Amino acid sequence: MSASTPTNAPAQVLRPDRRRNRLGYNILALVTAALMAFPVYWLIVSSLRPNHEIRSYDQTLWPSSLTFDNFARAVKQDNFATAIQSSLIVSVTAVVGGMIIATLAALAIGRFRFFGRKALMMIMILVQMLPPTAMLIPIYLQLNALGGIDEYWGLIVVYLVSTLPFATIMIRGFVINIPVELEESAMVDGCTRMGAFRRVIFPLLAPGLAAASIFALVNAWNEYLFAYILINDNSKYTLNVWLMTFTTERGTDYGALMAASTLISIPVVIFFMIIQGKMATGLTSGAVKG
Amino acid sequence: MTAADTKAAGPPVPVPRVPEKTGISPSGQEADGPRPKKRRKKGELLPYFLILPAILAIAAVYVYPLIKTVIMSFQDLGRAALWGNGETPWVGFEQFTNILGDPEFWAVVGRTVVFMTICVVLTMGIGLLIALMMLKVSTWVRLVLTVALIAAWSMPLMVAASVFRWLSDSDYGLINTLLADITGDEDRWLGHNWFLDPWQGFGIITLLVVWGAIPFVVITMYAALTQVPKELEEAASLDGATAFGVYRFVTWPVIKPVFTMVATLSVIWDFNVFGQIWLLRGNKPEPEYETLGLYSFSKAFESTSFSQGSAIALITVLMLSGVAVYYLRQLIKTGEVE
């Protein structure tokens, strides 16, 4: 952060009008921050509000008291535990599989020049741009024919491939920042090619893998459309689909919905915090080399 | 916060980056070992083994279904054929002529394009303004703003949609209460249903989409803006350029490629908005809320005409392919694909 702030000496002595300008910008920026964060605030506050305030015609910005009743109702909702389980199974398996395949492809693209390399990258980028709704119908029909509806593996395969292009391109960025000389000297010292990979490349690749896998995990964790279409069995719903169970014919239990939403968001927020740090690491290593 | 941060953002991220050495030079392989001939031969096959799993996976989930979409759109695949009773008849271009001759389809296309345009213009405009503002504020304010942006960004789509549904609820929504308090017109706003009138309903949906997309745009554009050389800007203003002049002739040329690519991505994302509308309309979007994605979905799964749905999806892909190719060309230009 600080590296990007202009720190030239003359700018330190701000003229009064520039200082007033900065004050204006600061206020504007804080208002923007408040507006951007407001839905997040409203999510948390609503999840902690007593139910009579949730179902009030006169909403207030501050809660009069805080309670965990909504969380209790959310957790007691049918299929909460199985939804967590489904989300974990599907996301983790998809990410692990995706990372292995992406690393292999990234090594090929980053380390070798071969016929079709550029075409492969273009295909990956184009694939990413396909609207998921366009793929939904054929994927549904195909999985239906293979007996993959209501099965975890169907969802796993879809998530695995949907994060594959991004993960490959991202890991490739880390691969090309590892000097080939490191690998070569390991091999001169008697390592096999695999040995050189395991002892030299893999440790250097770890931050990139971590970042890419967290990104893929967040994506799989947040996905809704395919989970909704491919899984019809209540006991196999993923968390995002499970959120719909708070809306019934009689209306929506917003308190419990907000509490459940908060619970689902917590892991994502934590992952995002981690990814920011990892990104900075990846960046510095790139900058030093560049 | 520089280029690589934005890698967390989503699909391939277009940010000018530190020039990097591309792959290896041909000499890299020659220096590989004592027996260059054998090495080189191995090196020719190895990359293909490495990319094989990726190719198979992409072919299974994207390429094959895409071909299938094309085939299906020339057939008449309904529920009966799906469950295996009877052959699927070939109908040639009938699905397409039906769809293209249907005024409802054109209404959906128009709605999708207008909605997408408004979302993209608002997202890019507000995003750029916030990014420019971030350059001018104190360090701690920038930190607060960044934290707020990341908080908004990290909210799962479905969670964000739930919150906006709650905010715009006709009986218990904060928006109605606030409007009643501000205008003093309780009869007008309390109990007001935002989704009766599609224009108002799309207003709320736009709010959700733009709010959700701004963090990515701001953080990417800010990363690009920090790469504008400060000396150039100072020199320009010393030479008497106005603030706008400096922006127009110094800042803009540097950030333009990034801006174009983020805008292109936004076009594609906003053209395919699905979950936000779906959830805000309680899983049962009325026809007047259908954009192309939802329209194709409801044709396929509710009218159980998978062929109609496929044909609409295919038309959507064709409409977007121009944008996609443009995006790819930008990536090649900035050296992201080399």
Side-chain angles (χ1 to χ4, degrees):
Chain A
M1 271 266 120
S2 54
S4 53
T5 323
T7 46
N8 30 357
Q12 299 288 327
V13 199
L14 295 176
R15 279 174 295 142
D17 60 320
R18 282 193 64 178
R19 194 170 298 172
R20 210 176 315 126
N21 244 339
R22 168 164 280 197
L23 182 67
Y25 282 122
N26 278 348
I27 293 169
L28 199 62
L30 290 175
V31 171
T32 312
L35 285 176
M36 286 306 292
F38 185 76
V40 183
Y41 165 80
W42 196 245
L43 167 75
I44 296 166
V45 158
S46 303
S47 68
L48 290 167
R49 255 173 216 256
N51 209 26
H52 67 85
E53 276 188 35
I54 294 268
R55 301 195 81 81
S56 151
Y57 289 101
D58 194 20
Q59 293 290 322
T60 51
L61 287 173
W62 321 110
S64 63
S65 61
L66 299 178
T67 162
F68 283 98
D69 286 354
N70 295 322
F71 284 94
R73 278 208 312 291
V75 170
K76 272 194 229 121
Q77 180 84 3
D78 288 345
N79 295 322
F80 175 55
T82 56
I84 294 183
Q85 197 190 330
S86 299
S87 277
L88 278 176
I89 292 175
V90 172
S91 319
V92 171
T93 321
V95 169
V96 171
M99 286 309 123
I100 294 172
I101 300 179
T103 307
L104 295 178
L107 282 171
I109 296 174
R111 273 286 183 263
F112 299 94
R113 301 218 150 251
F114 56 93
F115 177 76
R117 177 173 162 278
K118 207 168 166 179
L120 179 68
M121 285 186 75
M122 285 190 193
I123 289 172
M124 288 199 161
I125 291 165
L126 281 176
V127 151
Q128 281 236 290
M129 317 217 32
L130 282 177
T133 44
M135 307 312 294
L136 189 61
I137 300 163
I139 288 178
Y140 172 83
L141 294 176
Q142 192 55 43
L143 279 175
N144 192 42
L146 295 171
I149 301 295
D150 272 344
E151 298 287 345
Y152 289 141
W153 65 261
L155 212 48
I156 290 171
V157 170
V158 172
Y159 289 175
L160 188 158
V161 179
S162 62
T163 48
L164 194 58
F166 178 72
T168 307
I169 292 168
M170 189 163 162
I171 298 172
R172 172 197 151 265
F174 285 82
V175 169
I176 55 183
N177 278 325
I178 301 172
V180 196
E181 293 79 22
L182 276 182
E183 211 177 332
E184 282 164 0
S185 59
M187 290 201 279
V188 167
D189 289 349
C191 275
T192 58
R193 193 170 200 114
M194 267 315 288
F197 174 75
R198 195 167 51 81
R199 287 171 208 213
V200 180
I201 309 289
F202 189 74
L204 289 171
L205 214 53
L209 272 175
S213 57
I214 289 166
F215 176 82
L217 195 63
V218 169
N219 256 6
W221 189 262
N222 287 348
E223 206 282 333
Y224 172 78
L225 181 59
F226 280 93
Y228 174 74
I229 292 299
L230 300 181
I231 304 284
N232 302 315
D233 181 350
N234 296 1
S235 64
K236 286 187 174 172
Y237 278 170
T238 60
L239 282 165
N240 282 310
V241 184
W242 171 75
L243 276 189
M244 293 189 320
T245 56
F246 291 96
T247 303
T248 62
E249 247 98 88
R250 284 169 290 130
T252 303
D253 182 352
Y254 278 117
L257 176 62
M258 291 301 120
S261 301
T262 308
L263 290 177
I264 292 176
S265 308
I266 290 170
V268 183
V269 172
I270 294 171
F271 290 144
F272 248 84
M273 300 289 164
I274 302 172
I275 216 174
Q276 289 299 111
K278 291 287 179 208
M279 286 300 162
T281 320
L283 163 80
T284 2
S285 61
V288 169
K289 181 159 185 269
Chain B
M1 279 287 165
T2 13
D5 277 41
T6 55
K7 289 259 176 216
V13 176
V15 176
R17 42 206 209 126
V18 194
E20 55 194 16
K21 286 180 187 133
T22 57
I24 23 172
S25 51
S27 63
Q29 293 202 359
E30 277 172 61
D32 232 1
R35 282 174 299 173
K37 250 184 186 167
K38 199 186 167 198
R39 276 266 172 246
R40 182 178 286 169
K41 191 154 192 277
K42 201 173 164 191
E44 271 169 14
L45 276 181
L46 185 59
Y48 293 103
F49 282 121
L50 294 178
I51 60 169
L52 190 65
I55 297 217
L56 287 179
I58 289 174
V61 178
Y62 283 103
V63 181
Y64 176 73
L66 199 63
I67 294 169
K68 193 134 191 220
T69 309
V70 177
I71 294 172
M72 275 191 316
S73 58
F74 290 101
Q75 294 178 326
D76 189 6
L77 183 60
R79 187 65 82 178
L82 175 63
W83 300 119
N85 337 327
E87 290 283 294
T88 313
W90 289 90
V91 296
F93 283 94
E94 198 189 302
Q95 304 288 4
F96 291 97
T97 47
N98 282 349
I99 292 165
L100 297 176
D102 183 0
E104 198 196 344
F105 169 77
W106 292 106
V108 173
V109 171
R111 185 182 303 132
T112 311
V113 170
V114 170
F115 171 68
M116 178 273 288
T117 312
I118 292 174
C119 283
V120 170
V121 168
L122 285 177
T123 311
M124 295 312 295
I126 298 173
L128 182 59
L129 286 179
I130 296 178
L132 283 169
M133 184 171 74
M134 271 177 98
L135 291 172
K136 305 251 181 191
V137 298
S138 316
T139 312
W140 70 272
V141 175
R142 183 160 50 238
L143 192 67
V144 170
L145 187 55
T146 311
V147 169
L149 289 170
I150 289 173
W153 192 359
S154 59
M155 245 165 117
L157 173 69
M158 284 304 114
V159 171
S162 300
V163 175
F164 275 76
R165 190 149 66 97
W166 168 224
L167 282 168
S168 62
D169 187 275
S170 54
D171 290 329
Y172 313 117
L174 179 72
I175 296 178
N176 283 349
T177 308
L178 283 183
L179 281 173
D181 283 353
I182 292 165
T183 61
D185 189 353
E186 296 205 343
D187 299 335
R188 169 89 176 81
W189 295 114
L190 288 187
H192 176 72
N193 185 343
W194 287 90
F195 292 94
L196 279 183
D197 173 2
W199 284 97
Q200 290 184 8
F202 268 107
I204 303 280
I205 295 165
T206 307
L207 207 61
L208 168 59
V209 171
V210 171
W211 172 81
I214 279 180
F216 169 65
V217 177
V218 173
I219 289 174
T220 317
M221 293 312 299
Y222 177 71
L225 282 168
T226 55
Q227 305 202 341
V228 177
K230 287 281 164 294
E231 308 78 50
L232 272 184
E233 288 183 332
E234 267 160 32
S237 49
L238 280 180
D239 287 349
T242 59
F244 181 76
V246 172
Y247 176 77
R248 171 74 183 78
F249 294 106
V250 180
T251 315
W252 177 246
V254 178
I255 62 168
K256 191 181 163 216
V258 182
F259 184 90
T260 331
M261 280 193 290
V262 177
T264 318
L265 275 179
S266 300
V267 167
I268 291 167
W269 289 336
D270 291 346
F271 208 84
N272 292 299
V273 165
F274 188 100
Q276 290 95 323
I277 303 178
W278 183 257
L279 208 85
L280 278 175
R281 293 315 307 126
N283 306 326
K284 297 183 274 292
E286 299 83 348
E288 58 267 32
Y289 281 98
E290 277 176 352
T291 53
L292 274 168
L294 288 154
Y295 187 60
S296 145
F297 177 88
S298 71
K299 280 281 183 219
F301 289 93
E302 275 147 37
S303 317
T304 61
S305 172
F306 292 100
S307 287
Q308 285 252 314
S310 301
I312 296 164
L314 202 62
I315 296 173
T316 313
V317 171
L318 287 177
M319 283 178 177
L320 283 175
S321 57
V323 187
V325 168
Y326 179 76
Y327 174 75
L328 200 62
R329 280 188 50 196
Q330 293 285 329
L331 277 186
I332 292 168
K333 246 193 248 167
T334 51
E336 197 73 25
V337 182
E338 77 282 313

